[in-house]
Structure formats: C-alpha cells, structure tokens
Amino acid sequence: MENLHEFVEKVHDQQEKQEKNKKRGKGNPAGQLPTKQHGTQK
C-alpha cells in the first residue's frame, strides 16, 4: 500500500511541475527577446 501511495504522490508532483512549465512559457510575446536569425540580416 505504501508503494502505491508514494507512486501517486510522485505522479502528482510531476503533473504540478508540468503545469508550472506550461504557464511559464506563456506571457507577453512583445516582452520576449527576438530570436537570432543566423546571418540572414546582411
């Protein structure tokens, strides 16, 4: 029983981390730095 409980806790932790990472990527796109264009600007 304890192993099942530990497994469930571990899964919940992973889900929380995934949600945080999803939210972290969103925001104001204008506030982000422009991506490099590797030599296309000449």
Side-chain angles (χ1 to χ4, degrees):
M1 256 334 242
E2 292 236 355
N3 287 339
L4 178 63
H5 182 67
E6 289 174 12
F7 174 76
V8 171
E9 280 187 14
K10 187 176 175 183
V11 170
H12 282 295
D13 287 342
Q14 288 175 343
Q15 287 175 343
E16 285 178 24
K17 287 179 184 177
Q18 287 173 351
E19 285 297 317
K20 284 181 186 176
N21 287 337
K22 273 187 192 176
K23 291 177 184 174
R24 189 175 178 199
K26 294 180 182 174
N28 184 4
Q32 296 175 353
L33 294 173
T35 57
K36 292 185 178 180
Q37 295 187 355
H38 294 288
T40 58
Q41 294 178 339
K42 292 183 180 178

